[in-house]
Amino acid sequence: MNAPTQATPTVEKKKIAVVVIHGMGEQKPMQTLRGFVQSVWQHDRNLFKDLKDPPDHWNWDTWSKPDQLSGSAELRRITTARARDPDHKGEKGKRTDFFELYWADLTADSNWGDFTKWFGALLFRNPFRGEIPPRVMTVWMVMWLFTLALLFSGLSTVWPKVVEFYQHDPLAGTWLGSLMTWRGWILVTVLLAAFGGKAKSFLTSYFGDVARYVSAEPRNIKVRHEARQRGLKLLDQIAASGAYDRVIVVGHSLGSVMAHDLVMLAWSEAARSITMTVGSSLHQAFRDCEIAGEALLDAAGYTKGHAPDIHRDDRGGQCAYGRSSAAMDKVPDLRDTYRVAQRKLFLELSAVQVQGPDQKRRSAWLISDLITMGCPLTHAEFLIARSLCELRVMVQARETLRCPPVFEADEKLDLHFLYPNPKGSQQLQPHHAAAMAPTRWTNIHDPSGHVLFPFGDLISGPLARDFGPGVTDIAVCIRRPRGWMTWVGLSHLFTHVLYWKDFIRNAGGSEAPPDHVQVLRDAINFLDEPEVEARLMKRSRGE
């Protein structure tokens, strides 16, 4: 009698990890992540197209499980069924795990003083010294109008008492006196009394978070440190688990600023363990990325090296807002070439095994993509620096990410992302700010006008101007398809929180996703399909 044949055990493929970082406000744990997963995974039928054994779970095969990597009992990991394998039709491929980096609890003690201090610092910028970007000039003027209205409302309330006490009106007959006695201030005061408390609570809850994170004030240092350490710990745990071969970091609003910081800090740590010999496949992948990056920077008119051509305290016309180059029409094609080189470099790095801080072997680098939505870094010269000149110096000094990275110059003045380690050694090592060599950066934004700024997303905008021509900026136009706001012509009003809103009512139907959701899905590209990347690049050109 023949012995029963034992089935060959199926080797589970490594998974994809998507780390989602929520934006400002009193966010609840998992609030952002659930809506995000629903739009980019559960409603995307293409992920399971032509599977021989299609999933039959009621919510398209996603499960909420305890998250043992973040260390928080409030958070859960959303895991999925295996999507189709793009290389083997009808077969199952990889699973995806979604994690939320939750940090709202760290800024829960933000107060009115945090907001007003930050607001005042923005208010008292000098527009004649280049400290107010053209993109926010209208908003800055509106900020002043509201501030003056609040000031005169208060003064007009107490001014009659002052005149009565001194029995003399020194402003009588002047324009200022007429302004102080304008009867409309009574209505303004009533409105401020009625809505002031709610406005104060809103500004503290939302923009207080911005003030705490972007301002390096002594009171904020601990919050900034704890938020970043929480993110770095999560990324480290994902890498140490050995269960993943690709990590995608997605940030929304203020969370996109944090995502930028985490990728920069994670790379600075990982780069210490990455070494290679001249002529190796890894070195060749870096070299291809350097060549593609140098051509892209030349075409866009960027400084390639780290020596700044301006100083932090330069103002006004010293730093031009525009980029001019006879080869600018070549930038989209050169960006495509650079992204291809980035992808090849990532695959090389993810296959390299290094020793991690826990003394265990792990992949050298797993973050393939940084995706930002509604990113306020478009206003970095206003929110983070004091002028465009200072921001340019920060980028050149490698205090922020740049895509392609700032180059190192060797003894022959050739430009590289690598340097000998130690000096004179045959071993090469990437420098600490070269994260955007293996990591692609896609920035999705909904443009708003300078005057009609409430329509669209004023907080967001393009990033390539300041953070490098390798950033793929994609402009979308988010419109609500139904509801009272659509009926009264306000479908495009304040779209900052709608980047992953697909508006689909029937998850099992064939309704096509709106453009902004399709762009987000293509940017993530779960199946890593070249045709999806090509479609994303075509969309970035507005085609």
Side-chain angles (χ1 to χ4, degrees):
M1 186 174 187
N2 296 329
T5 303
Q6 292 185 349
T8 303
T10 301
V11 178
E12 183 75 13
K13 296 181 179 180
K14 288 194 174 184
K15 299 180 286 186
I16 300 168
V18 179
V19 177
V20 180
I21 309 176
H22 67 77
M24 60 189 181
E26 295 182 340
Q27 304 276 358
K28 295 181 180 179
M30 303 295 292
Q31 182 180 34
T32 297
L33 189 63
R34 290 192 180 99
F36 183 88
V37 173
Q38 184 181 65
S39 291
V40 302
W41 184 275
Q42 292 175 213
H43 290 180
D44 188 0
R45 295 296 176 266
N46 181 59
L47 293 169
F48 300 94
K49 184 179 179 181
D50 298 327
L51 272 180
K52 294 178 182 177
D53 183 19
D56 57 1
H57 195 254
W58 71 274
N59 65 346
W60 215 249
D61 277 13
T62 62
W63 295 272
S64 178
K65 295 186 175 182
D67 180 5
Q68 298 176 348
L69 296 183
S70 68
S72 172
E74 298 293 338
L75 298 175
R76 300 180 70 84
R77 165 177 59 98
I78 296 181
T79 191
T80 71
R82 289 189 290 159
R84 62 181 174 85
D85 187 337
D87 298 322
H88 301 89
K89 187 175 181 179
E91 300 298 328
K92 292 182 178 181
K94 297 180 180 179
R95 298 180 187 272
T96 297
D97 283 351
F98 294 88
F99 300 87
E100 181 176 64
L101 174 54
Y102 184 76
W103 55 270
D105 57 308
L106 299 176
T107 56
D109 64 339
S110 298
N111 55 48
W112 182 241
D114 294 320
F115 170 76
T116 55
K117 185 176 182 179
W118 173 72
F119 183 82
L122 298 181
L123 204 61
F124 288 99
R125 294 288 186 88
N126 189 338
F128 303 105
R129 300 188 65 195
E131 296 181 0
I132 309 297
R135 288 180 293 178
V136 298
M137 181 63 76
T138 303
V139 179
W140 182 75
M141 294 173 66
V142 170
M143 289 165 59
W144 263 110
L145 287 176
F146 274 108
T147 302
L148 292 174
L150 180 63
L151 176 64
F152 279 105
S153 172
L155 290 176
S156 66
T157 302
V158 300
W159 188 249
K161 301 295 183 181
V162 174
V163 172
E164 181 181 352
F165 180 81
Y166 287 102
Q167 297 184 347
H168 173 66
D169 186 356
L171 300 179
T174 66
W175 68 270
L176 187 57
S178 300
L179 184 64
M180 294 290 290
T181 57
W182 179 55
R183 294 185 178 181
W185 292 122
I186 298 175
L187 177 60
V188 173
T189 303
V190 171
L191 291 174
L192 288 173
F195 299 104
K198 291 185 178 180
K200 181 178 178 180
S201 176
F202 173 82
L203 293 172
T204 301
S205 299
Y206 285 82
F207 291 96
D209 291 351
V210 181
R212 299 294 301 281
Y213 191 81
V214 303
S215 301
E217 298 287 339
R219 168 173 155 77
N220 304 334
I221 298 298
K222 185 177 180 180
V223 169
R224 287 156 56 97
H225 173 75
E226 289 180 350
R228 291 165 177 168
Q229 287 300 118
R230 185 176 291 183
L232 290 173
K233 180 181 178 182
L234 175 58
L235 292 175
D236 180 72
Q237 293 291 330
I238 290 173
S241 70
Y244 305 92
D245 61 7
R246 183 185 175 199
V247 176
I248 303 166
V249 178
V250 184
H252 171 246
S253 187
L254 184 58
S256 65
V257 181
M258 193 179 300
H260 161 279
D261 295 347
L262 291 178
V263 172
M264 179 174 62
L265 294 170
W267 172 265
S268 67
E269 180 64 32
R272 299 179 183 181
S273 303
I274 301 172
T275 58
M276 68 209 76
T277 56
V278 175
S280 65
S281 60
L282 180 57
H283 174 252
Q284 187 57 52
F286 263 105
R287 189 67 191 127
D288 292 343
C289 200
E290 290 168 351
I291 293 171
E294 190 170 358
L296 178 56
L297 292 169
D298 281 338
Y302 272 80
T303 302
K304 291 178 285 188
H306 59 78
D309 53 0
I310 35 86
H311 302 282
R312 287 180 185 266
D313 57 352
D314 288 338
R315 295 291 186 271
Q318 183 73 15
C319 297
Y321 276 93
R323 296 273 185 189
S324 61
S325 172
M328 278 299 288
D329 58 335
K330 298 180 181 179
V331 166
D333 291 336
L334 292 171
R335 183 188 300 117
D336 294 357
T337 302
Y338 182 67
R339 282 178 67 101
V340 170
Q342 285 180 295
R343 185 60 181 155
K344 291 180 179 178
L345 176 56
F346 166 75
L347 293 174
E348 285 284 347
L349 276 174
S350 63
V352 172
Q353 293 290 304
V354 298
Q355 185 170 290
D358 55 1
Q359 307 304 314
K360 295 181 180 179
R361 305 296 288 176
R362 62 171 67 182
S363 294
W365 184 248
L366 289 179
I367 302 177
S368 66
D369 291 89
L370 168 62
I371 300 171
T372 51
M373 304 175 290
C375 184
L377 285 175
T378 190
H379 307 298
E381 77 272 35
F382 185 62
L383 296 175
I384 297 176
R386 283 197 63 86
S387 69
L388 183 60
C389 286
E390 183 175 7
L391 177 61
R392 292 273 170 84
V393 172
M394 291 174 64
V395 173
Q396 291 296 325
R398 300 184 293 191
E399 296 173 16
T400 71
L401 292 175
R402 196 185 75 174
C403 186
V406 176
F407 282 82
E408 287 270 3
D410 62 18
E411 295 177 354
K412 298 179 181 179
L413 298 182
D414 292 329
L415 298 175
H416 302 282
F417 299 148
L418 308 169
Y419 66 95
N421 183 29
K423 191 172 183 179
S425 170
Q426 295 300 313
Q427 290 288 320
L428 298 176
Q429 178 178 353
H431 70 67
H432 72 278
M436 291 294 104
T439 305
R440 300 176 296 195
W441 189 347
T442 305
N443 176 57
I444 306 171
H445 63 102
D446 188 359
S448 64
H450 293 325
V451 178
L452 298 177
F453 58 84
F455 292 88
D457 181 15
L458 171 70
I459 295 173
S460 73
L463 299 180
R465 187 202 72 182
D466 297 324
F467 295 92
V471 180
T472 301
D473 286 316
I474 303 181
V476 296
C477 183
I478 306 173
R479 293 189 179 276
R480 299 167 178 85
R482 57 183 72 92
W484 69 269
M485 295 184 73
T486 301
W487 300 336
V488 296
L490 300 178
S491 64
H492 196 220
L493 182 68
F494 194 69
T495 59
H496 182 64
V497 296
L498 302 178
Y499 282 94
W500 57 88
K501 184 70 174 178
D502 60 8
F503 306 109
I504 293 178
R505 290 177 172 174
N506 182 11
S510 58
E511 186 178 351
D515 176 63
H516 64 276
V517 171
Q518 188 61 57
V519 167
L520 178 56
R521 291 176 182 175
D522 289 349
I524 296 173
N525 195 359
F526 290 104
L527 307 183
D528 198 23
E529 296 176 293
E531 55 268 29
V532 173
E533 172 70 6
R535 184 169 64 209
L536 183 72
M537 292 299 97
K538 184 177 180 180
R539 182 63 179 78
S540 69
R541 298 182 177 92
E543 299 175 6

